[in-house]
Amino acid sequence: MERKESTPMREIRRKYEDVHKEERKAKNKVWGTSIERSYADEMDEFLARHNITKVAVIVAGYEALKQQYEPRDKK
């Protein structure tokens, strides 16, 4: 893939990315996942209708799983 023609703004963005890449990687994690398109479209529609972010879904799901599984871990 070829890079687009360089412009002053693109050069600034590339330099910023080079300088901050490791910091950004240390701060955030990206999960590459894949689900069936029709299910993903249904979820996207629901989330948009209720103004919910995908991050909020992940956090709520994680918290629900913790409550479900932690009592088992304490036994």
Side-chain angles (χ1 to χ4, degrees), residues 34-52:
S34 179
I35 60 173
E36 189 176 312
R37 169 71 59 186
S38 61
Y39 190 55
D41 290 343
E42 178 186 333
M43 288 173 53
D44 286 341
E45 182 183 319
F46 175 85
L47 296 176
R49 189 171 58 242
H50 296 284
N51 197 27
I52 302 170

Side-chain angles (χ1 to χ4, degrees), residues 46-63:
F46 175 85
L47 296 176
R49 189 171 58 242
H50 296 284
N51 197 27
I52 302 170
T53 66
K54 290 175 184 167
V55 172
V57 171
I58 292 169
V59 171
Y62 173 63
E63 293 300 326

